[in-house]
Amino acid sequence: MEILKYYFLFLLATAGFLTAAPALAHQTLPFGFESQTIARLKALPTDLEFAPDGSIWIIDKSGSVYLFTDSLNEPLLTLSVASDKERGLLGIAFDPDFVANGYFYLYYTTGPKALNYKGSPKNRLSRFTYGSQMSSSQADTEKILLDDITSDSGMHNGGGIKIGPDKKLYIPTGDGGKVSTNAQNLNNLGGKILRLNLDGTVPSDNPFVGKNGARP
């Protein structure tokens, strides 16, 4: 019930109700539901996830990562992202061994000050390490796992990353919004569901490993 409550609140937030929370108090909710404002974000929230230790993490489109406790504090981490149109910080997932290694994964569109920025926005999957020495201004612990994912027009970026029961990373990507045939092009990362090992290497049982003209 607790998980349902928080996800319900997050859905309200992403629908634009977060900034109009007082109005909710006068609305009649279905039986068993209650309205409670737990946080106010300056930018559009794009994902909320529970870490394996039970903590609540919220990310927003502008590139900020928040660790929610009893209230919403300053960002735990802020990335340089391109946040125009549908770009930005778009997805978060946690390593199954997060409690031991502190690893979490972010999918975002690179901005000019991003690590290894190449002159135009691209979508990227990176691994970060949560710990007491973590810098909030820039990711000192960033390890890029997959880079240069299409973001041609600013639209259709994807990013709802998950870790499956097989302990593999699943990365849904958009076609980039400009070249619709990217999805059918097996040599292009856009418009796909990508699958990686947690260290960024390619699983040997991916379906296109060893096939000519296809990224594995």
Side-chain angles (χ1 to χ4, degrees):
M1 184 64 183
E2 196 71 14
I3 292 176
L4 288 175
K5 181 179 79 171
Y6 279 116
Y7 268 103
F8 179 63
L9 288 169
F10 180 69
L11 289 172
L12 291 177
T14 57
F17 287 103
L18 192 59
T19 56
L24 289 175
H26 304 292
Q27 295 186 9
T28 302
L29 298 174
F31 177 78
F33 286 89
E34 64 180 40
S35 171
Q36 177 186 0
T37 301
I38 63 171
R40 294 182 183 276
L41 278 73
K42 297 178 182 179
L44 179 70
T46 50
D47 202 357
L48 178 154
E49 293 290 341
F50 286 82
D53 64 358
S55 58
I56 301 171
W57 295 52
I58 303 170
I59 62 173
D60 70 27
K61 192 173 183 292
S62 70
S64 294
V65 180
Y66 296 90
L67 173 60
F68 178 83
T69 51
D70 294 330
S71 61
L72 199 68
N73 300 311
E74 290 300 310
L76 178 71
L77 173 67
T78 300
L79 299 177
S80 174
V81 304
S83 59
D84 59 305
K85 300 181 182 178
E86 294 177 352
R87 294 171 172 145
L89 176 54
L90 303 173
I92 183 171
F94 293 90
D95 195 278
D97 295 322
F98 172 79
V99 174
N101 59 30
Y103 292 165
F104 63 100
Y105 305 85
L106 297 176
Y107 182 97
Y108 69 98
T109 314
T110 56
K113 295 182 180 179
L115 183 65
N116 294 343
Y117 183 71
K118 298 178 181 179
S120 61
K122 297 288 185 179
N123 291 310
R124 167 185 293 174
L125 176 75
S126 287
R127 188 186 75 193
F128 300 83
T129 305
Y130 172 61
S132 59
Q133 302 302 313
M134 189 174 186
S135 169
S136 62
S137 59
Q138 187 54 46
D140 297 328
T141 62
E142 180 174 8
K143 178 183 178 182
I144 299 172
L145 300 185
L146 189 62
D147 213 352
D148 299 326
I149 302 169
T150 303
S151 183
D152 297 330
S153 71
M155 313 298 282
H156 302 183
N157 293 280
I161 57 175
K162 298 293 180 183
I163 295 177
D166 56 359
K167 295 188 177 181
K168 307 295 184 185
L169 274 161
Y170 288 83
I171 309 106
T173 66
D175 62 17
K178 186 176 181 180
V179 182
S180 61
T181 54
N182 280 341
Q184 287 74 46
N185 181 355
L186 294 179
N187 197 36
N188 187 289
L189 296 175
K192 310 288 190 300
I193 297 178
L194 310 177
R195 181 173 180 258
L196 291 177
N197 293 317
L198 297 179
D199 62 0
T201 58
V202 176
S204 60
D205 59 345
N206 270 8
F208 299 105
V209 170
K211 294 192 176 182
N212 290 333
R215 296 278 299 258

